[in-house]
Structure formats: C-alpha cells, structure tokens
Amino acid sequence: MIMNKIKVTIWNEFRHEKTEDEVKALYPDGIHAFIAKNFSVDAPEFEVRLACLDDDECGLTDEILNNTDVLLWWGHMFHGDVPDHIVSKVVDRVFRFGMGFIALHSAHISKPFQRLVGTNGHLSWGENQKELMWNVMPSHPIASGIPEHFELECEEMYGEPFHIPQPDELVFVSWYKHGNVFRSGCCFTRGLGKVFYFQPGHETCRSFYDPNVRKILVNAVRWASPNDIVIPTPNCGFREKIIK
Ligand code: ZN
C-alpha cells in the first residue's frame, strides 16, 4: 500500500527533561524525540521534525509551519512563554490551511488549544493513579485497532468538569482509580483543520511507551492530516460571473 507522506512537527517545551532526573530517565532526549522515535517504527511514512520552546521562533518559523501537515503540542509549565504572534500563526494554519493540531496532555491550557476551541480548557486534576481508557467510538479512524478499553498503570488524573465546547466527536472516555471520569480523546473541526485533544502523557509516566497510546497517536496524525484538501483561495474577493 502506498501511504501519503505526512509532514509532522512535534513541539515540546523540552524543559522538564533537562532539569528533572525522573523525567530525564524516561525521556532522555525529550518527549518530542521519543514520540518521533516511535513514529519512525510505527509510521515510517511520516516525515517528522522536532521543535521546542527554546528554539528561535519557538521552532515554528513560517517555513516550518508552511511545511507542516500535523502539529503535535506538548506543553506544561511555560504556556505563557509562547508569544502570541506564534500562536496566531498556528491557529491561522489550522483554520485556513487545514493543518491538524494534536494537543497532548497538559496542552489543554496551551494558548493554541484555547484559541482553537474557544474556552479556557480548565479541568480538575489529581495525583497519579491507574487509568482505564474506554473506546467509546470504535468506528472512528483514531480508534482503529484499539480495544474496547485499555489500562495505563500510572497517569496523572485529569477529571471533569473539563471546560471545552462539546466535542464534535468523543472517541475516548477515561475512568480513574479514585473515581473521576474524563473526556480523554476529543475531536474538533475548526475551519479547514482538525483538532484532537488526548489526555495521556504526564512527564513522569510511561504512557508514550504504551502500544495503544502509540497507535492512537499514529491514527490521530493520519486523521488530522489535511491530505487531499484543495485549499480555497485564502482571501475571497469579487468574482466575475461563473455562468455567463
Ligand atoms: Zn501532567
């Protein structure tokens, strides 16, 4: 089967991994590099590049954004350090050019996610514990090959209420050992672009090692990719008669 090359950029704050031994031990080259390594095995047709907060222009120059089909975003403590003009470029790429955006874990309060969904993305959170993730939309492309439910032995609890608009599609719902539930896999359509929020990925947990999480990320990139979208004229103006 010939697969389309999908240009993927994985963005990460990449600060915890430099300063916290526990995180460094799990993700020595950064969470973004770890996800990229998984993609090189699971989806070699992806053309992957890395970007992080401390790169020039946060690693998101026009050249890079214009050559990104899907942008994955892992941010946690430094959302405010991403300049607004970069956020505007990301949001514009999604709305007008169909770039996919995948918000991982604490990117629920990242500036681009907030701007894309239109709410603050706040949620309840608690200590790390066992999570059961339920596949509530098995027909969805992101759920392809994912069982009815699977277990993550240790994840940070993210619980309802989750301040997001009603997702266009809800693919995963999670239960946590201490009783909370959460909409953990949510799809939104924004302009020409597709947005997926996915809960797992706390920096001291091994979720990105999990085979189901790995598969979901591959599925999500394929789903969010603009593929064959014919981009309409970005600035619409006066038209001569189409039918004379
Ligand atoms: Zn976390």
Side-chain angles (χ1 to χ4, degrees):
M1 186 165 53
I2 298 169
M3 304 294 284
N4 282 346
K5 276 266 177 204
I6 300 176
K7 295 176 195 155
V8 181
T9 300
I10 309 173
W11 189 92
N12 181 14
E13 281 177 2
F14 195 27
R15 287 187 178 169
H16 291 295
E17 298 94 327
K18 293 172 183 164
T19 55
E20 293 170 37
D21 289 342
E22 198 184 355
V23 185
K24 206 184 295 183
L26 277 179
Y27 302 111
D29 301 315
I31 284 173
H32 54 332
F34 190 84
I35 294 171
K37 200 171 92 201
N38 288 346
F39 283 163
S40 70
V41 175
D42 302 338
E45 76 276 16
F46 293 176
E47 208 176 281
V48 179
R49 60 172 110 194
L50 305 178
C52 64
L53 182 57
D54 295 318
D55 292 345
D56 282 349
E57 291 283 292
C58 298
L60 299 174
T61 61
D62 288 346
E63 198 268 328
I64 287 174
L65 277 175
N66 292 343
N67 283 289
T68 298
D69 295 318
V70 180
L71 176 62
L72 289 88
W73 194 280
W74 195 101
H76 181 213
M77 295 296 286
F78 305 98
H79 301 300
D81 291 0
V82 181
D84 288 338
H85 76 274
I86 304 271
V87 177
S88 296
K89 287 197 297 185
V90 168
V91 170
D92 190 55
R93 283 288 302 165
V94 174
F95 268 88
R96 296 202 303 147
F97 297 94
M99 181 180 77
F101 184 84
I102 298 175
L104 298 169
H105 189 57
S106 31
H108 65 94
I109 48 168
S110 64
K111 287 185 186 179
F113 182 72
Q114 290 176 326
R115 286 265 299 274
L116 283 163
V117 299
T119 59
N120 63 24
H122 288 181
L123 44 74
S124 312
W125 57 277
E127 63 188 61
N128 294 356
Q129 58 198 266
K130 179 155 85 177
E131 171 176 355
L132 281 189
M133 183 167 285
W134 288 86
N135 174 359
V136 295
M137 197 175 176
S139 61
H140 196 279
I142 296 180
S144 175
I146 303 302
E148 175 196 74
H149 69 273
F150 63 94
E151 182 179 318
L152 297 171
E153 189 47 46
C154 169
E155 245 309 331
E156 186 176 26
M157 191 285 286
Y158 276 7
E160 299 290 337
F162 183 16
H163 291 165
I164 49 170
Q166 188 69 15
D168 296 314
E169 293 158 326
L170 179 61
V171 188
F172 301 108
V173 172
S174 287
W175 168 95
Y176 298 84
K177 196 176 178 186
H178 297 174
N180 298 80
V181 295
F182 187 63
R183 289 169 288 172
S184 49
C186 305
C187 298
F188 305 88
T189 302
R190 290 294 183 268
L192 295 178
K194 286 177 265 179
V195 176
F196 182 57
Y197 172 78
F198 190 50
Q199 182 274 336
H202 185 64
E203 67 274 10
T204 59
C205 299
R206 300 177 58 86
S207 298
F208 292 122
Y209 288 76
D210 181 85
N212 286 305
V213 168
R214 286 173 64 159
K215 188 156 189 49
I216 287 166
L217 290 184
V218 169
N219 290 345
V221 167
R222 289 189 182 136
W223 169 82
S225 164
N227 287 324
D228 297 326
I229 289 181
V230 176
I231 305 297
T233 312
N235 299 307
C236 314
F238 177 79
R239 296 282 173 99
E240 296 296 338
K241 285 179 188 170
I242 292 172
I243 299 171
K244 308 283 183 193

